[in-house]
Amino acid sequence: MATGGGQAIRGSRIGSGPMGEHERGETAPRQTVTYFCSQEHRSVIAFSVEAEVPGSWDCPKCGLPASLDCENPPPAPKIEPYKTHLAYVKERRSDQEAAVILDEALSTLRSRRKSGDLIF
């Protein structure tokens, strides 16, 4: 292991040169826009002067929607809990309809048992 040899250049890496505007050209004119979310986060986003500024933006800190109005940020979206198949069925059918369907299914099953036509 060589210590303090002569070839290494400290504090630099390949491709790192001067990063000034004379190397890359001039930057496009920009405008900064501030968005506010319901968690009281403040996000400053830079847009080109020519770009159309959107009315809403996803907060980079929490992911909630943010708007330009600091007094009235958009509310957090309501997250629906996972519903089971039974929950969807209960939304479509009343208890009386469910009882009728159950009775029909049981009578069909009982008639198959009597005739020996059970299908597994």
Side-chain angles (χ1 to χ4, degrees):
M1 180 164 99
T3 57
Q7 300 288 338
I9 300 174
R10 292 183 166 221
S12 66
R13 57 189 173 159
I14 297 174
S16 67
M19 297 298 288
E21 288 184 0
H22 65 280
E23 289 288 326
R24 294 177 292 160
E26 292 186 30
T27 58
R30 298 177 188 203
Q31 60 179 328
T32 57
V33 179
T34 305
Y35 290 94
F36 305 90
C37 75
S38 60
Q39 297 291 321
E40 299 181 1
H41 294 140
R42 188 173 162 251
S43 305
V44 179
I45 311 295
F47 292 98
S48 168
V49 173
E50 299 169 357
E52 184 177 333
V53 175
S56 65
W57 193 263
D58 289 341
C59 177
K61 293 181 180 121
C62 65
L64 293 175
S67 70
L68 300 169
D69 186 4
C70 66
E71 299 296 322
N72 298 310
K78 183 179 178 185
I79 298 173
E80 293 286 330
Y82 174 77
K83 289 185 183 179
T84 64
H85 177 69
L86 180 60
Y88 284 110
V89 170
K90 286 183 175 182
E91 285 180 358
R92 292 193 316 260
R93 307 266 188 223
S94 68
D95 290 340
Q96 293 82 18
E97 289 173 318
V100 170
I101 292 171
L102 179 62
D103 289 339
E104 288 175 4
L106 288 173
S107 65
T108 303
L109 184 61
R110 288 178 182 136
S111 68
R112 285 185 186 167
R113 278 191 179 168
K114 287 179 184 175
S115 66
D117 293 341
L118 283 178
I119 301 173
F120 292 101

